[in-house]
Amino acid sequence: MVTTHNLGFPRIGKKRELKFALEKYWRGEITKNDLLETASTLRQEHWQNQSKLDFIPAGDFSFYDQLLDASFMLGNLPKRVQGLSGDNLDNYFRVARGRASADETECSCIQAGEMTKWFDTNYHYIVPEFDKNTQFSLDASRLLEQIDEAKQQGINAKPVIIGPVSYLWLGKSKDETNKLDLLDNLVIVYGLLFKKLQEVGIEWVQIDEPILVMELSQEWQHALRKAYYTLQSTPLKLLLTTYFGELQENLQLACNLPIDGLHIDAINAKDEVAKVVDWLPCHKVLSLGIINGRNIWKTDLTQTLKWLEPFHQQLQDRLWLAPSCSLLHVPVDLDSEQKLDSEIKSWLAFAIQKLDELNTVAKALNDGSHTVADKLAENAAAIDSRKQSNRVHNKDVKNRVLEITDEMGKRHSSYELRADLQRKKFNLPLYPTTTIGSFPQTSQIRQARRDFRTGKLSEMAYHEVMQSEIQHCVKVQEELELDVFVHGEPERNDMVEYFGEQLTGYTFTQFGWVQSYGSRCVKPPIIYGDISRPTAMTVDWINYAQSLTDKPMKGMLTGPVTILNWSFVRDDQARSETCQQLALAIRDEVLDLEKAGITIIQIDEAALREGLPLRKSQWKYYLDWAVQSFRITANGVKDETQIHTHMCYSEFNDIIESIADMDADVITIETSRSDMELLDVFDQFHYPNEIGPGVYDIHSPNIPLVDSMVNLMKKATQRIPAERLWINPDCGLKTRNWDEVKPALVNMVKASKILNETRCL
Ligand code: GLN
Ligand code: ZN
């Protein structure tokens, strides 16, 4: 018999119940007991959703983040919250978000823990903090309560725990402490934890060591051996769990650690499965993650069964089946979707449907395919419909991609020649000022967009509201005397959705929420088919804005790589190909803007970095096609047309060559918080084009001072000649209000003037 299990279930709830409860609790609108009750109801519901599985995860539920839960379980609280009033949950929220609850004022000074991306997903975890005084101690109460709760509901719980070595790897040393020096103490605490789990009758524990899919130095490989050899005396059975990628050079290590079973991602590491089956000692269980936990497509069950058959033959009872990774990264329930096109809906599976697929495969193996014939037939029909559908496949789009040439990604002339032409044409001062695109999205704007969507506002009336917003933005920019204007993006709720809604091949869900961090969720749109752009998407708005001023108005677009990285993408073609289709669609828009007389066009690539593969050895391949997609989008324009791009992060030292390779005339980036440290990279690397290092931190309500901006720019001028520098905020201004934005930009323009004056002296 094969065994089924799950690695983790989305905790946020079908209707984002956890989000709303948390936010109400933080605002002081519900009590702690209300919050705990919502959590318990959700856990119960989620266990019910998984009840057909042999083992069901426990401890995967979290009020904010599972790594933060682990830090609390291991007694690793930052010093700054120790000794404060309240209970554990108060401290938990202090580390998560800087304060415990609404009535917390004495503590508003507490710095929240740093947040960072969980591997290559869009989930963000709270980074464990270490220093030379770090001592671990066990507090398993949260986990034990959840296990107890599961037991009372008759659930066969398998606790889910981050492994000690990955825990250290994912954390950050706040002083010079070598994280691995903490391992011995940490492993002792894991030993105690296992003892506790055994005492409450637990049989299997899922212990996640996802770092096994990364490039590890010998020290870290050794740490894995040391940890698991030390823990091998535990009477519990350990299922060592990896996901998101291939084990590669860590394969033998993973197979040979003294554990009782190994889980691998049989989607992303499909080609390694045969090798693992060979290598794995025959007393160990092998869990194959056969259902993709990172996308929303139905699994081809017939094909999966065919592929599994020989492994099943070989492994028999030692074969376990699961999704490839925790289902945290997919929406909860497809059945909630009432508005999705029925054909497209028939191709999709969210968390609950994915578990159903898993059960079907297991039953087919255990009891014979005939026992699930209906399900298999239904699945085969859906898979076939998706393969054949002409809503997915568009010959013209595919042919256009085939006809892409290198020439399409190249400007006619070099940057130097272009810059010369552009200087003459725009006649901008040194340190020209601009903004990144959006201006404050007031409640009035949001209301108008909502009313238009629900039909309360006619198209004409909606256009009028938007046009008057644009007028307002232009007027403010005139008053501020900025050099290059933007229209302010009032018509966009989101920089991907706005474009997705106007492209073919895209669809949107009502409840397809995925946790991004804490109570925050995102609803990635779904690319289901070949992408094309039936009509211009932004030209009317930009044209209208340009008609109101003599200053250059930037056309404002989202780039192909960012659109790709913030969507659920197709699994039936390479990401790079989908990206090329997007590139061609946005290229058409660029050329239409140019035709309409727009002379500066900004193509945001906010998420270029997010697509970097887990292993550095694969970075080049990704960067090559990503940069080429950008170049196809941007570089069909005349030499006089100025291309800008924007990225909202400051770590790009390690990808600076690729960024230069994009060949945008101007790039605006985030730098203000890092005090221009980012520009250190220019000591070694000669960045050839123009750059606007953000001097105004838009994530803070503070108004930046003239002097501080002048100083930042002076620092920048030490690295990059003044002729190639721009002054701008870090990012778009949509989350700020006008009272913050206006004085900040007044100061920014003043800073530019001062820099120009001192230059002329
Ligand atoms: N143009 C977008 C804006 O200003 C860019 C947003 C972003 O980089 N995240 O809002
Ligand atoms: Zn940005």
Side-chain angles (χ1 to χ4, degrees):
M1 290 288 267
V2 304
T3 298
T4 55
H5 70 123
N6 186 18
L7 272 51
F9 194 83
R11 52 189 78 126
I12 207 79
K14 270 184 198 176
K15 297 274 150 71
R16 287 181 295 160
E17 293 88 336
L18 181 60
K19 170 198 175 67
F20 297 121
L22 280 168
E23 291 175 358
K24 272 191 194 146
Y25 173 69
W26 293 333
R27 285 196 301 266
E29 292 165 18
I30 60 170
T31 63
K32 196 170 278 183
N33 264 341
D34 296 334
L35 178 66
L36 296 178
E37 217 162 276
T38 304
S40 158
T41 312
L42 279 172
R43 280 193 295 268
Q44 184 169 10
E45 190 180 321
H46 299 162
W47 283 327
Q48 280 311 316
N49 292 144
Q50 305 174 81
S51 60
K52 285 199 186 137
L53 302 174
D54 297 317
F55 287 101
I56 298 175
D60 56 336
F61 181 88
S62 171
F63 275 121
Y64 205 94
D65 162 47
Q66 69 267 12
L67 251 270
L68 186 58
D69 293 348
S71 290
F72 273 69
M73 180 172 76
L74 300 167
N76 184 29
L77 278 64
K79 255 208 207 74
R80 58 185 183 280
V81 298
Q82 289 171 16
L84 294 176
S85 60
D87 61 13
N88 235 346
L89 191 64
D90 290 326
N91 263 346
Y92 180 85
F93 287 137
R94 284 183 187 123
V95 186
R97 51 190 289 279
R99 51 174 58 206
S101 57
D103 46 54
E104 178 123 289
T105 44
E106 91 272 20
C107 234
S108 50
C109 50
I110 294 248
Q111 198 193 339
E114 187 184 330
M115 211 158 50
T116 201
K117 264 164 76 78
W118 177 248
F119 298 89
D120 59 351
T121 72
N122 194 24
Y123 177 81
H124 300 75
Y125 70 94
I126 303 281
V127 179
E129 297 174 26
F130 308 119
D131 60 34
K132 60 177 188 313
N133 297 318
T134 299
Q135 280 285 332
F136 300 100
S137 60
L138 184 66
D139 175 1
S141 50
R142 187 197 68 96
L143 182 61
L144 292 174
E145 276 162 28
Q146 289 188 27
I147 291 171
D148 189 43
E149 204 179 57
K151 256 202 204 143
Q152 285 177 25
Q153 290 164 32
I155 295 297
N156 190 16
K158 174 199 61 174
V160 177
I161 300 164
I162 185 75
V165 188
S166 290
Y167 179 75
L168 289 177
W169 167 284
L170 292 161
K172 204 170 176 177
S173 173
K174 293 282 171 180
D175 52 22
E176 299 296 292
T177 306
N178 178 354
K179 293 191 282 182
L180 286 177
D181 290 347
L182 304 171
L183 185 66
D184 290 348
N185 177 234
L186 183 58
V187 168
I188 292 175
V189 175
Y190 272 79
L192 296 174
L193 170 66
F194 291 164
K195 224 170 131 215
K196 281 243 149 73
L197 293 176
Q198 192 223 347
E199 279 163 20
V200 296
I202 292 296
E203 183 191 2
W204 277 93
V205 175
Q206 172 187 325
I207 186 138
D208 290 9
E209 289 287 6
I211 62 165
L212 276 161
V213 306
M214 315 270 291
E215 283 136 342
L216 298 178
S217 67
Q218 284 190 359
E219 283 82 18
W220 284 93
Q221 291 176 335
H222 177 67
L224 281 158
R225 273 185 218 105
K226 193 171 168 193
Y228 289 91
Y229 277 98
T230 312
L231 290 169
Q232 70 176 324
S233 56
T234 175
L236 288 173
K237 293 183 182 156
L238 300 185
L239 182 73
L240 186 79
T241 300
T242 69
Y243 32 80
F244 301 150
E246 297 186 342
L247 295 163
Q248 294 191 12
E249 71 282 5
N250 300 323
L251 189 142
Q252 294 182 23
L253 169 68
C255 289
N256 290 330
L257 287 173
I259 33 103
D260 305 276
L262 174 68
H263 170 89
I264 63 169
D265 179 332
I267 304 290
N268 285 301
K270 191 168 181 184
D271 296 342
E272 277 186 342
V273 173
K275 234 193 218 168
V276 173
V277 172
D278 277 351
W279 267 99
L280 199 69
C282 57
H283 63 279
K284 292 184 189 176
V285 154
L286 178 60
S287 163
L288 294 179
I290 52 163
I291 308 285
N292 197 332
R294 294 287 294 276
N295 77 16
I296 40 62
W297 302 108
K298 264 192 184 150
T299 311
D300 184 335
L301 298 183
T302 311
Q303 205 186 58
T304 304
L305 274 167
K306 204 167 138 209
W307 174 81
L308 265 176
E309 197 54 51
F311 299 125
H312 182 220
Q313 291 285 331
Q314 249 173 298
L315 296 164
Q316 293 293 330
D317 287 355
R318 290 167 55 215
L319 177 62
W320 285 29
L321 297 176
S324 61
C325 58
S326 163
L327 296 175
L328 183 66
H329 310 289
V330 292
V332 183
D333 187 6
L334 185 65
D335 288 345
S336 305
E337 300 298 327
Q338 299 306 320
K339 292 194 179 154
L340 263 183
D341 172 278
S342 61
E343 189 185 8
I344 296 173
K345 191 171 168 181
S346 76
W347 304 336
L348 304 178
F350 293 176
I352 291 178
Q353 290 70 34
K354 282 175 185 284
L355 293 178
D356 199 39
E357 292 182 336
L358 183 68
N359 285 321
T360 306
V361 173
K363 193 153 169 35
L365 292 179
N366 287 338
D367 305 333
S369 295
H370 63 278
T371 60
V372 283
D374 289 357
K375 292 214 169 205
L376 293 180
E378 198 186 317
N379 175 270
I383 298 293
D384 203 46
S385 131
R386 183 170 163 223
K387 270 192 195 141
Q388 309 297 337
S389 174
N390 53 15
R391 301 168 71 176
V392 173
H393 304 284
N394 177 332
K395 264 215 181 89
D396 293 344
V397 175
K398 287 195 165 59
N399 285 339
R400 252 191 106 186
V401 168
L402 290 176
E403 284 159 13
I404 290 177
T405 59
D406 279 353
E407 283 313 300
M408 287 167 76
K410 288 191 189 133
R411 296 291 291 261
H412 303 293
S413 309
S414 67
Y415 163 75
E416 284 76 17
L417 286 173
R418 283 163 11 220
D420 217 33
L421 289 170
Q422 290 167 15
R423 237 168 247 138
K424 288 188 187 118
K425 176 169 181 168
F426 298 118
N427 198 23
L428 297 170
L430 283 179
Y431 302 102
T433 52
T434 191
T435 60
I436 305 304
S438 54
F439 270 114
Q441 293 244 331
T442 57
S443 49
Q444 190 198 342
I445 297 180
R446 283 197 297 260
Q447 187 64 42
R449 270 203 315 260
R450 253 198 313 273
D451 288 349
F452 176 49
R453 262 174 203 269
T454 55
K456 258 200 212 155
L457 206 61
S458 73
E459 185 157 357
M460 221 165 78
Y462 170 72
H463 270 248
E464 270 165 28
V465 180
M466 292 300 124
Q467 288 195 342
S468 79
E469 280 303 330
I470 293 174
Q471 275 173 33
H472 176 239
C473 287
V474 172
K475 190 166 147 262
V476 172
Q477 292 174 90
E478 297 277 11
E479 285 163 9
L480 288 165
E481 299 182 27
L482 287 160
D483 295 309
V484 171
F485 285 18
V486 296
H487 77 294
E489 305 182 21
E491 79 288 8
R492 303 180 192 177
N493 52 344
D494 176 281
M495 61 190 287
V496 171
E497 192 165 294
Y498 178 77
F499 292 95
E501 280 176 342
Q502 302 184 71
L503 295 168
T504 62
Y506 251 107
T507 192
F508 300 84
T509 61
Q510 281 173 284
F511 302 101
W513 298 101
V514 178
Q515 191 177 8
S516 171
Y517 68 92
S519 66
R520 298 295 180 101
C521 303
V522 292
K523 192 153 65 72
I526 298 171
I527 300 179
Y528 66 85
D530 289 332
I531 303 278
S532 66
R533 185 205 65 147
T535 52
M537 305 181 280
T538 63
V539 177
D540 285 350
W541 298 120
I542 307 292
N543 248 344
Y544 174 71
Q546 181 68 84
S547 75
L548 304 171
T549 177
D550 293 333
K551 293 282 181 76
M553 176 66 60
K554 281 196 274 191
M556 193 57 62
L557 304 171
T558 304
V561 188
T562 298
I563 296 186
L564 183 88
N565 284 342
W566 284 346
S567 303
F568 279 122
V569 299
R570 295 169 64 171
D571 59 350
D572 59 344
Q573 69 185 18
R575 288 176 83 83
S576 54
E577 197 177 331
T578 306
C579 199
Q580 284 176 315
Q581 295 184 355
L582 286 162
L584 289 171
I586 311 290
R587 175 186 171 95
D588 291 347
E589 187 73 12
V590 170
L591 295 176
D592 278 352
L593 282 167
E594 186 182 54
K595 234 186 269 156
I598 300 304
T599 52
I600 302 187
I601 299 165
Q602 178 174 316
I603 305 161
D604 293 327
E605 282 294 15
L608 186 105
R609 221 197 131 83
E610 289 190 17
L612 281 175
L614 286 172
R615 285 173 179 268
K616 260 208 161 129
S617 57
Q618 289 157 6
W619 281 21
K620 185 176 166 355
Y621 173 70
Y622 163 76
L623 287 168
D624 282 352
W625 63 252
V627 168
Q628 181 59 8
S629 292
F630 178 86
R631 293 177 63 115
I632 292 163
T633 307
N635 289 352
V637 296
K638 293 183 283 202
D639 283 346
E640 294 91 326
T641 300
Q642 191 170 70
I643 295 290
H644 289 218
T645 189
H646 164 72
M647 291 174 187
C648 11
Y649 40 80
S650 49
E651 329 142 54
F652 62 44
N653 294 22
D654 46 2
I655 57 168
I656 186 74
E657 287 176 36
S658 300
I659 289 181
D661 211 27
M662 290 162 74
D663 200 21
D665 297 300
V666 183
I667 180 171
T668 55
I669 49 172
E670 176 178 318
T671 37
S672 60
R673 280 207 186 178
S674 72
D675 199 31
M676 295 285 158
E677 259 170 36
L678 145 84
L679 300 182
D680 289 352
V681 63
F682 297 107
D683 288 342
Q684 284 101 46
F685 181 81
H686 170 73
Y687 184 78
N689 304 5
E690 284 156 61
I691 185 160
V695 287
Y696 159 18
D697 175 9
I698 63 98
H699 297 102
S700 153
N702 299 344
I703 312 296
L705 301 174
V706 178
D707 278 357
S708 81
M709 289 191 275
V710 169
N711 286 337
L712 283 173
M713 289 312 292
K714 280 188 177 157
K715 278 195 183 172
T717 314
Q718 289 164 6
R719 306 281 189 3
I720 295 157
E723 294 70 35
R724 290 200 272 118
L725 283 170
W726 288 62
I727 301 199
N728 46 264
D730 262 355
C731 193
L733 300 166
K734 71 174 174 201
T735 56
R736 301 258 64 92
N737 57 49
W738 282 108
D739 291 341
E740 294 159 347
V741 163
K742 276 192 201 163
L745 292 178
V746 165
N747 286 357
M748 194 181 87
V749 173
K750 267 191 205 150
S752 163
K753 293 206 165 133
I754 291 173
L755 288 159
N756 269 285
E757 282 157 18
T758 46
R759 212 38 221 181
C760 299
L761 286 178

